[in-house]
Amino acid sequence: MSGHGLVLGKFYPFHSGHSHLIRQAQRDSDRVTVQVLGASVESIPLEVRAEWIRESHPGVRVVAAMDDAPVDFESEAAWDEHMALIGSLLDEPVDTVFSCDAYGGELARRLDARWVRIDEGRRINPVSGTAIRADVAGNWHELAPAVRAWLTARIVVLGAESTGSTTLAAALAERLGTLWVPEYGREHSEIREGGLAAPWRSDEFDLIVDRQIALEQQALREVPLPVLVCDTDVLATALWHERYVGSTAARLYDAAAAHPPLLYVLTGDEIPFEQDGMRDGEHIRHGMQQRFRDVLAAQDVPWLEVRGDVPTRVEAAASALAPLLAEHLRFAVPLEARPLDEQRALQKDARSTSLG
């Protein structure tokens, strides 16, 4: 049994192989420190990675820091830079270094600790950050719920009354092979005190927003693929606030801007209006549809309006989503995968930025 065990890595992103390593360190140590060492050029924030590990392994101490020193295991100067940072993050000496990769032996020697190599050659957990970055969807099962939630892109379907947004959300999710989140506002309309006849209060829309986001957050952890379809969102709720309260709620628009999806899909109002007992009526539909268009055009998230039958709408939405999703799942090249000359230049740039 070790006193103080150390695990370090980029966790770019955090995956099941990392969890196996940390669990083994916990079994063999009284306490474990996990150091998250990322580089400025990488595209997942350090604190996000640290939070993933804290959630999955609450019994370990997690610390994070930028390490822009070149990854050159043959360079004594590079080792000295790395070790200065690693040492600064330790609150007590290390007894054991746990790692899968060969650098762990030299790291342990420099810390005057023993080295325990876990899963050499990745025979138990044949997964790597490189493989996941190359194919996120294909390695989705290797990721913890918190990682899935952060990586998953949201596509929001919205529109005026009786434009087929719910039908499209369900059909699009089926086409993509993923989940969809229903509109909480409709449920609230059915259960609210006084029913549909009672005047709407502004604070009801805050409740709707909170419940809608909660449904999304739960679904983000359960999706089988890195995309989630949502039937409405905060921006649509802000528009319905205008309609039913009669005033603009800046707080709702601010909340929408802070919670953007990857794509908005506006369902067209060319289809026949159907009254289901909960809708205002066809006389306001076209005006609301134009308001949706105007608001979508004024914000930064890509959007499109789909028309025609359901298969046509699904095809248009899926086609618009494909390149956006590919870009969303693109990771910046990690520091160690770049040529040494480029690594040194990037380190110089990072230092200049921090000093500037």
Side-chain angles (χ1 to χ4, degrees):
M1 191 76 170
S2 166
H4 186 195
L6 174 66
V7 175
L8 62 79
K10 287 184 173 295
F11 308 100
Y12 185 53
F14 176 62
H15 56 67
S16 60
H18 297 134
S19 277
H20 175 72
L21 180 61
I22 294 170
R23 282 194 297 269
Q24 191 60 54
Q26 288 183 284
R27 291 188 189 101
D28 294 348
S29 308
D30 294 327
R31 65 185 298 256
V32 174
T33 292
V34 177
Q35 293 190 0
V36 183
L37 303 179
S40 302
V41 294
E42 293 157 359
S43 50
I44 301 177
L46 270 183
E47 194 52 36
V48 168
R49 302 183 225 178
E51 283 302 317
W52 289 342
I53 299 170
R54 291 185 185 111
E55 177 178 314
S56 296
H57 301 279
V60 305
R61 173 177 178 259
V62 182
V63 292
M66 286 293 181
D67 185 3
D68 288 314
V71 182
D72 181 2
F73 296 124
E74 304 302 318
S75 167
E76 189 68 23
W79 266 108
D80 287 345
E81 285 191 80
H82 292 301
M83 293 308 301
L85 177 60
I86 291 166
S88 73
L89 296 174
L90 294 172
D91 60 349
E92 67 176 24
V94 169
D95 300 294
T96 307
V97 171
F98 297 86
S99 77
C100 172
D101 299 312
Y103 72 80
E106 180 62 17
L107 175 61
R109 186 188 71 78
R110 290 172 180 266
L111 290 170
D112 194 24
R114 72 185 180 102
W115 176 38
V116 174
R117 191 167 193 177
I118 305 297
D119 193 16
E120 182 177 357
R122 294 185 172 86
R123 293 186 294 271
I124 298 174
N125 290 92
V127 63
S128 67
T130 301
I132 290 172
R133 291 191 298 271
D135 183 8
V136 175
N139 290 282
W140 198 241
H141 59 286
E142 304 286 1
L143 303 176
V147 185
R148 295 182 184 185
W150 194 86
L151 289 174
T152 297
R154 294 164 46 251
I155 177 171
V156 172
V157 181
L158 40 63
E161 291 181 326
S162 191
T163 57
S165 59
T166 299
T167 299
L168 178 59
L172 181 58
E174 183 177 5
R175 159 70 181 275
L176 298 173
T178 191
L179 305 179
W180 69 283
V181 178
E183 178 187 3
Y184 175 75
R186 184 175 180 86
E187 177 183 342
H188 181 76
S189 297
E190 294 173 344
I191 64 174
R192 65 189 294 266
E193 186 176 355
L196 294 177
W200 284 80
R201 304 187 316 274
S202 182
D203 63 284
E204 288 184 84
F205 291 86
D206 296 285
L207 172 64
I208 290 169
V209 165
D210 290 344
R211 295 285 173 84
Q212 190 72 41
I213 291 177
L215 289 172
E216 291 176 7
Q217 290 175 336
Q218 181 61 37
L220 287 169
R221 290 170 168 267
E222 299 171 353
V223 286
L225 292 170
V227 61
L228 175 68
V229 180
C230 301
D231 178 15
T232 201
D233 80 333
V234 183
L235 185 62
T237 304
L239 286 169
W240 291 116
H241 181 284
E242 291 182 6
R243 166 71 185 97
Y244 290 115
V245 178
S247 63
T248 298
R251 68 186 187 280
L252 296 182
Y253 282 102
D254 290 343
H259 188 60
L262 186 67
L263 175 68
Y264 279 117
V265 178
L266 177 65
T267 46
D269 60 349
E270 85 287 1
I271 62 177
F273 182 87
E274 294 183 8
Q275 179 56 265
D276 63 359
M278 297 185 65
R279 292 168 175 161
D280 287 331
E282 189 170 9
H283 63 287
I284 73 158
R285 183 171 67 150
H286 297 304
M288 279 299 297
Q289 186 76 358
Q290 187 57 50
R291 180 63 179 144
F292 271 98
R293 293 186 188 108
D294 293 342
V295 168
L296 288 170
Q299 50 86 60
D300 296 329
V301 175
W303 71 281
L304 76 158
E305 183 169 353
V306 294
R307 306 173 80 82
D309 60 16
V310 174
T312 300
R313 292 178 172 203
V314 168
E315 183 59 36
S319 297
L321 174 65
L324 296 172
L325 186 58
E327 182 60 30
H328 173 77
L329 296 174
R330 193 186 313 279
F331 297 82
V333 177
L335 187 66
E336 71 274 11
R338 301 168 187 249
L340 279 173
D341 287 348
E342 182 181 349
Q343 291 188 45
R344 295 187 183 100
L346 289 167
Q347 181 188 32
K348 183 178 180 180
D349 289 343
R351 284 176 173 169
S352 299
T353 299
S354 64
L355 292 174

